[in-house]
């Protein structure tokens, strides 16, 4: 599956931004999907993940309550709604997909086989 992330941009602290990730090539619904981010000088970190059916979601503690991950399998698209943005949310955001990922491994980037190119989110304070 090929992934294409979009929706990044510049936003003020406290504002909102919505990211999308369009999937193509294979049936998107068979993949567990997630968002990761990488800030300058830091390692890529887990943000959120959603199971194939969209029924279960997992968030990092740093974004829980502010970000919402969702998916529309009919449109082969993954979303990340980001509210109450903070300066520390500034990063390149990557969407990812993988198969056969169990709940305890959702936060591990090596579990994801396919990655989008990333979209830059900049939050000004």
């Amino acid at each position: 599956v090929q992934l294409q992330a979009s929706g990044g941009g510049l936003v003020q602290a406290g504002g909102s931004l919505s990211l999308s990730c369009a999937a193509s090539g294979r049936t998107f619904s068979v993949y567990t999907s997630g968002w990761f981010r990488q800030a300058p000088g830091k390692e890529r970190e887990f943000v959120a993940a959603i199971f194939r059916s969209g029924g279960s979601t997992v968030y990092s503690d740093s974004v829980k309550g502010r970000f919402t991950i969702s998916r529309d399998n009919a449109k082969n698209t993954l979303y990340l709604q980001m509210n109450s943005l903070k300066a520390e949310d500034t990063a390149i955001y990557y969407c990812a997909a993988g198969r056969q990922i169990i709940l305890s491994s959702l936060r591990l980037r090596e579990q994801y086989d396919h990655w989008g190119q990333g979209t830059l989110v900049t939050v000004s304070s």
Side-chain angles (χ1 to χ4, degrees):
V1 65
Q2 290 78 46
L3 304 174
Q4 179 80 26
S6 63
L10 174 64
V11 63
Q12 289 188 333
S16 298
L17 209 57
S18 181
L19 304 183
S20 298
C21 176
S24 61
R26 293 198 65 176
T27 305
F28 180 58
S29 60
V30 304
Y31 292 92
T32 291
S33 299
W35 289 95
F36 288 74
R37 67 187 182 186
Q38 188 166 15
K42 295 187 177 181
E43 291 193 356
R44 193 171 300 188
E45 66 173 3
F46 171 79
V47 174
I50 186 167
F51 279 101
R52 293 175 294 178
S53 65
S56 296
T57 57
V58 177
Y59 296 92
S60 69
D61 289 342
S62 61
V63 307
K64 193 177 299 181
R66 300 187 297 122
F67 291 11
T68 302
I69 188 172
S70 61
R71 66 190 298 160
D72 186 337
N73 287 336
K75 295 182 178 180
N76 289 341
T77 304
L78 177 72
Y79 304 99
L80 185 68
Q81 177 65 39
M82 305 184 294
N83 298 327
S84 302
L85 283 161
K86 306 175 181 180
E88 51 263 43
D89 294 319
T90 294
I92 299 174
Y93 283 71
Y94 299 89
C95 54
R99 302 188 67 174
Q100 308 295 333
I101 305 177
I102 60 176
L103 179 61
S104 61
S105 298
L106 280 175
R107 302 169 187 266
L108 304 176
R109 58 180 186 261
E110 56 266 28
Q111 295 293 312
Y112 295 80
D113 305 309
H114 307 279
W115 292 83
Q117 85 290 359
T119 184
L120 176 62
V121 173
T122 304
V123 183
S124 63
S125 57

